[in-house]
Amino acid sequence: MKKPVQKSTPAATALVSLIFLLAGSALASAQSGPSREEQMACRSDAGKFCAEHIGKPPQMNACLRDNKSKLSDPCRKVVESRGG
């Protein structure tokens, strides 16, 4: 015996689309890399304290967090704004 096919309403389809859109946006912003301004704020600190991690974002982020007390004010603000 076949199950009856249920048709979705336009409102239900729109709601599901909105949920996927919001979830995708949240994921993209959580994983986004540093902005140009953030990179410039930490450029000298990254070279001074974490040069061996250049080109390795996860390690660079960890190194900057570990050296937060030594960072310039602009870079420290960037690290703190990203959860460090």
Side-chain angles (χ1 to χ4, degrees), residues 42-54:
C42 289
R43 186 176 185 158
S44 65
D45 291 319
K48 187 186 296 184
F49 303 114
C50 306
E52 67 273 15
H53 302 298
I54 291 174

Side-chain angles (χ1 to χ4, degrees), residues 10-83:
T13 302
L15 179 60
V16 170
S17 298
L18 180 60
I19 289 170
F20 282 121
L21 177 65
L22 292 174
S25 297
L27 182 61
S29 67
Q31 294 179 345
S32 67
S35 69
R36 184 82 174 136
E37 292 80 19
E38 290 172 327
Q39 290 176 355
M40 295 308 293
C42 289
R43 186 176 185 158
S44 65
D45 291 319
K48 187 186 296 184
F49 303 114
C50 306
E52 67 273 15
H53 302 298
I54 291 174
K56 303 174 200 165
Q59 293 89 343
M60 176 63 74
N61 293 338
C63 180
L64 290 172
R65 279 193 308 271
D66 291 345
N67 289 285
K68 187 167 74 167
S69 64
K70 302 174 193 172
L71 301 177
S72 63
D73 287 339
C75 186
R76 186 176 314 112
K77 288 178 184 175
V78 169
V79 171
E80 289 172 349
S81 74
R82 292 186 158 266

